[in-house]
């Protein structure tokens, strides 16, 4: 399970040291995933001195394990965002999240990252006629926002996916795919080039007030900085009270076939889009740059990913494309996704000079990158009112310690809703 496809195929990581001794900076970023790396890059580009501490390796959290689907927008649709956050802030969130995929592809190009990337669109397939209604409403909303969104009927979506299990759907052509570990490593290289100092195998073990700033300690050193950005998302430990319990952690698992022959490949996702479904307990899939089929879905309740979970994904592949019946599988891996109860990412000021961005609900490749730009603006002194995300309290999952039975119940509930064809 460890490492998976991306560790085997991504361009090499930059050679980074472990923190030894005491250093000072304007800003210390904790966490070397997309959020922390984007925050470090964009803060350094604004002229501040930045140190980033990563407990393990660059991208060793969710950022180096995900499906690499770069999807703009959020779970909430533009009209819902404007309803809940008001015309001005709602509009800004729509613009930020809607532009997040373009931001990723622009960064890859601008920094000449060694990262397979393709802006081939994201298809959302409707698993029922009821779900199709809500999907079409979403597509029409994004069309009104000026997004390159196309609605698919049953025949069109079958042509695009190579199977006829969907009632219809839509494609958002702003979206696409990357090798996520290569992207994380590319961001790290860009941040170093911009002047940020990155340290790996340097877990932050404590944060304390130090004069008018903060001191963040590791086992072998410490960083004295005016401001701290905590970017540890679903991989948070006990570093800051309440951070680990701010989200519901759930496992997501992926498998990848060996590279498929060209004839077979052309019968699956010929347009090069990535796909997810309207089901709440959905699967997500795509081809990678070498023509492997990747299939991902919900993982087990425990840390251990057993054969039953993998078999479910293999069965899904065979159900969608029976001609892949005897295709061998090369990789299987898993990671933790953080879910917030309101399905929204959150920007939170934890104390004066300490800020965090978290809560991407399984759709973080694009939004983490955008969050990093918002964190950088805030760290560089942009007033809260001018940020493109609202500051909120740190979310809290009630009864976090005994969440397992509730998650099990929620899964049963969503399985029932999926079977009834209700939208996720
Ligand atoms: C299996 C899987 C599939 C997914 N698929 C997709 C997808 O296809 N598309 C999509 O948009 N999103 C997807 N996601 C979600 C996406 O990967 C995440 O939203 C995103 O990577 C979160 O990035 P992050 O930088 O906030 O957190 P992370 O990448 O998790 O980074 C947090 C980092 O903090 C470090 N850390 C923790 N504590 C400390 C400490 N005390 N000191 C120093 N460092 C610390 C960790 O080691 C880790 O590297 C998927 C997630 C998973 C797990």
């Amino acid at each position: 399970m460890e490492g998976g496809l991306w560790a085997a195929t991504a361009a090499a990581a930059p050679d980074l040291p472990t923190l030894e001794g005491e250093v000072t900076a304007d800003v210390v970023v904790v966490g070397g995933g997309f959020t922390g790396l984007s925050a470090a890059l964009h803060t350094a580009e604004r002229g501040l001195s930045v140190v980033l501490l990563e407990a393990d390796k660059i991208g060793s959290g969710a950022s180096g394990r995900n499906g690499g689907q770069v999807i703009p927008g959020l779970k909430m649709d533009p009209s819902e965002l404007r309803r809940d956050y008001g015309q001005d802030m709602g509009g800004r969130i729509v613009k930020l999240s809607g532009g997040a995929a373009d931001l990723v592809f622009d960064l890859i190009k601008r920094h000449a990252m060694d990262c397979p990337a393709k802006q081939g669109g994201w298809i959302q397939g409707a698993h029922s006629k009821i779900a199709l209604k809500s999907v079409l409403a979403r597509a029409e909303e994004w069309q009104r926002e000026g997004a390159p969104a196309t609605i698919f009927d049953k025949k069109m979506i079958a042509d695009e996916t190579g199977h006829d299990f969907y009632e219809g759907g839509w494609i958002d052509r702003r979206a696409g795919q990357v090798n996520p570990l290569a992207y994380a490593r590319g961001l790290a290289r860009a941040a170093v080039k911009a002047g940020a100092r990155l340290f790996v195998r340097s877990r932050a073990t404590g944060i304390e007030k130090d004069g008018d700033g903060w001191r963040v300690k590791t086992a072998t050193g410490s960083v004295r900085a005016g401001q701290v950005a905590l970017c540890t998302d679903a991989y948070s430990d006990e570093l800051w009270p309440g951070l680990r319990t701010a989200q519901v952690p759930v496992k997501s698992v992926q498998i990848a076939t060996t590279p498929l022959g060209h004839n077979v490949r052309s019968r699956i996702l010929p347009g090069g889009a990535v796909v997810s479904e309207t089901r709440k307990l959905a699967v997500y899939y795509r081809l990678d740059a070498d023509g492997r089929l990747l299939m991902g879905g919900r993982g087990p309740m425990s840390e251990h990913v057993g054969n039953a979970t993998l078999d479910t994904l293999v069965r899904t592949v065979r159900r969608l494309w029976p001609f892949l019946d005897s295709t061998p599988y090369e990789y299987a891996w898993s990671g933790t996704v953080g879910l917030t109860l309101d399905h929204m990412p959150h920007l939170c000021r934890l104390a004066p000079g300490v800020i965090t961005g978290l809560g991407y609900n399984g759709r973080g490749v694009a939004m983490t990158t955008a969050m990093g730009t918002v964190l950088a603006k805030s760290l560089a002194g942009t007033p809260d009112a001018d940020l493109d995300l609202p500051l909120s309290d740190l979310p809290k999952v009630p009864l976090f310690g005994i969440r397992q039975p509730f998650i099990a119940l929620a899964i049963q509930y969503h399985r029932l809703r999926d079977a009834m064809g209700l939208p996720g």
Side-chain angles (χ1 to χ4, degrees):
M1 274 290 165
E2 278 306 308
L5 169 64
W6 308 127
T9 55
D15 195 13
L16 298 170
T18 295
L19 180 69
E20 304 279 354
E22 186 174 313
V23 298
T24 57
D26 294 323
V27 171
V28 56
V29 174
V30 180
F34 302 141
T35 305
L37 293 164
S38 171
L41 166 63
H42 291 102
T43 305
E45 281 182 342
R46 286 172 174 268
L48 277 76
S49 64
V50 180
V51 165
L52 181 146
L53 299 175
E54 163 53 45
D56 189 0
K57 293 178 260 179
I58 293 301
S60 60
S63 296
R65 302 160 183 259
N66 59 69
Q69 300 201 0
V70 188
I71 304 172
L74 297 167
K75 300 267 163 158
M76 287 170 84
D77 292 334
S79 60
E80 295 172 312
L81 290 167
R82 289 199 174 87
R83 180 197 66 204
D84 288 4
Y85 293 88
Q87 282 301 320
D88 175 46
M89 180 51 79
R92 281 195 264 162
I93 303 173
V94 171
K95 194 161 174 233
L96 180 80
S97 62
D102 284 338
L103 173 68
V104 171
F105 293 106
D106 287 350
L107 283 171
I108 290 171
K109 212 180 282 167
R110 179 149 59 90
H111 296 283
M113 293 183 197
D114 188 356
C115 172
K118 180 178 168 137
Q119 209 161 0
W122 166 59
I123 293 174
Q124 191 178 30
H127 71 290
S128 70
K129 290 208 163 76
I130 307 173
L132 183 59
K133 260 192 179 171
S134 69
V135 160
L136 297 190
R138 169 170 305 149
E140 282 163 10
E141 276 206 32
W142 278 114
Q143 283 174 337
R144 284 196 294 276
E145 299 288 336
T150 308
I151 288 169
F152 287 156
D153 63 19
K154 195 169 169 57
K155 158 91 175 61
M156 288 159 88
I157 202 163
D159 289 345
E160 293 287 336
T161 58
H163 65 76
D164 59 4
F165 279 82
Y166 299 141
E167 294 297 333
W170 70 297
I171 186 167
D172 186 336
R173 296 191 194 278
R174 299 169 298 181
Q177 56 177 285
V178 294
N179 176 322
L181 185 58
Y183 175 50
R185 290 175 175 176
L187 281 174
R189 283 183 192 281
V192 169
K193 217 167 170 189
R197 286 168 289 167
L198 274 52
F199 296 95
V200 293
R201 298 175 302 280
S202 302
R203 180 177 292 278
T205 52
I207 302 182
E208 58 193 40
K209 199 87 189 82
D210 186 347
D212 57 356
W214 295 88
R215 180 176 301 275
V216 179
K217 291 184 185 162
T218 71
T220 53
S222 68
V223 188
R224 164 98 179 66
Q227 297 182 81
V228 184
L230 297 178
C231 303
T232 50
D233 193 45
Y235 283 77
S236 297
D237 54 17
E238 303 300 335
L239 183 63
W240 190 273
L243 206 50
R244 191 176 72 82
T245 54
Q247 305 180 67
V248 181
V250 297
K251 285 265 163 234
S252 187
V253 179
Q254 286 172 89
I255 56 173
T257 65
T258 52
L260 303 172
H262 283 282
N263 286 346
V264 179
R265 251 181 246 183
S266 62
R267 295 169 68 190
I268 302 170
L269 304 172
V274 302
V275 184
S276 65
E277 307 179 325
T278 44
R279 252 181 269 269
K280 194 78 180 178
L281 303 177
V283 291
Y284 52 98
Y285 47 90
R286 55 171 274 203
L287 293 170
D288 80 349
D290 300 315
R292 295 179 186 85
L293 174 69
L294 276 63
M295 176 63 69
R298 187 184 62 81
M301 301 279 291
S302 67
E303 278 301 306
H304 175 69
V305 179
N307 287 340
T309 306
L310 304 180
D311 286 349
T312 305
L313 291 175
V314 171
R315 274 202 308 275
T316 303
V317 171
R318 290 180 179 163
R319 187 169 50 87
L320 298 182
W321 305 280
F323 52 89
L324 295 182
D325 211 21
S326 54
T327 303
Y329 289 82
E330 214 176 355
Y331 298 98
W333 70 101
S334 68
T336 305
V337 174
L339 306 179
T340 51
L341 297 185
D342 62 0
H343 311 297
M344 281 293 287
H346 286 256
L347 175 71
C348 318
R349 179 153 296 114
L350 303 173
V354 183
I355 196 162
T356 188
L358 52 76
Y360 307 100
N361 296 278
R363 212 193 267 187
V365 178
M367 196 56 207
T368 48
T369 310
M371 178 68 85
T373 66
V374 177
L375 287 168
K377 272 191 187 168
S378 173
L379 293 163
T382 300
D384 292 351
D386 294 338
L387 298 175
D388 292 334
L389 287 172
L391 264 296
S392 72
D393 290 339
L394 190 61
K396 196 170 159 48
V397 176
L399 305 173
F400 184 90
I402 52 166
R403 65 192 179 281
Q404 300 288 29
F406 294 103
I407 298 176
L409 262 179
I411 288 170
Q412 293 304 337
Y413 168 73
H414 291 309
R415 190 167 283 143
L416 190 66
R417 281 180 63 96
D418 287 346
M420 290 163 70
L422 298 171

